[in-house]
Amino acid sequence: MIVKNAEFRISAVSPKQYPDTNLPEVVLVGKSNVGKSSFINTMINRKKLARTSSEPGKTRLINFYDIDSKFYFVDLPGYGYSKMSKTEQSKVGTFIEQYLVSSKNIQLIIFLIDIRHNPTTNDKIMYDYIIKSELPCIIIANKADKIAITKVDKAVKDLQSALNPLKDLTFIPFSSERKIYTEDAWSEIEKYLF
């Protein structure tokens, strides 16, 4: 898919702030610093639409990005960031859950995990939450550039065995650096959108 016009629409913390255009939503979830914003930038071939940071926990709001007025990428705050106060973690957790429960436009959850590591406890909690929500989901095994290209397929299979032993979800490697998996990700996303 070639994106011609992508723009940041709004940051939100409550339903009254969500865009009211009823466009389909593709939602990115994952732990802090797993590369959700970089994923968006790579997919739309822009360097800085979604703000990235090497410091985890920078995204603290739900950010909506309008993609060609066809759908939104929705970037949720990352979880598991230990420097955020317990009160703030709870507040962020509440508005994330409120969004996931109340939005009627979610077409797909893209769950990003780090290809180099076993799923964390928080990853497993999020995975269980997504499964219980019955929302469609694909898993992006991100940061594939950080391991040898010959090890990528095995790493993805190992992650699937650890997180999704039923093997009923699609797992795709991804790298914002290499950009070689972008087409695979788009073809999977388009199945849910159009």
Side-chain angles (χ1 to χ4, degrees), residues 13 44 59 64 80 91 95 106 122 150 167 174-175 185 192-193:
V13 294
I44 61 171
T59 304
F64 290 80
K91 193 167 74 176
F95 72 68
I106 297 172
N122 283 332
T150 53
K167 297 190 174 13
F174 195 81
S175 161
Y192 295 90
L193 278 178

Side-chain angles (χ1 to χ4, degrees), residues 55-69:
E55 188 184 325
K58 274 292 179 202
T59 304
R60 305 247 174 132
L61 304 165
I62 301 171
N63 292 319
F64 290 80
Y65 298 92
D66 182 325
I67 310 302
D68 285 339
S69 297

Side-chain angles (χ1 to χ4, degrees), residues 15-98:
K16 64 177 181 290
Q17 297 171 316
Y18 306 159
D20 59 3
T21 50
N22 282 328
L23 289 176
E25 294 168 0
V26 174
V27 183
L28 285 89
V29 301
K31 69 182 180 188
S32 291
N33 226 23
V34 76
K36 296 181 295 297
S37 300
S38 296
F39 175 86
I40 292 171
N41 290 334
T42 301
M43 293 297 283
I44 61 171
N45 203 21
R46 293 262 297 273
K47 281 200 165 53
K48 293 186 177 160
L49 179 67
R51 295 180 60 194
T52 60
S53 171
S54 56
E55 188 184 325
K58 274 292 179 202
T59 304
R60 305 247 174 132
L61 304 165
I62 301 171
N63 292 319
F64 290 80
Y65 298 92
D66 182 325
I67 310 302
D68 285 339
S69 297
K70 292 179 181 168
F71 73 96
Y72 289 109
F73 272 133
V74 183
D75 189 6
L76 296 188
Y79 53 77
Y81 178 54
S82 56
K83 288 192 179 156
M84 207 187 280
S85 73
K86 290 276 182 259
T87 310
E88 199 163 8
Q89 281 179 31
S90 172
K91 193 167 74 176
V92 168
T94 300
F95 72 68
I96 288 174
E97 186 166 3
Q98 184 180 34

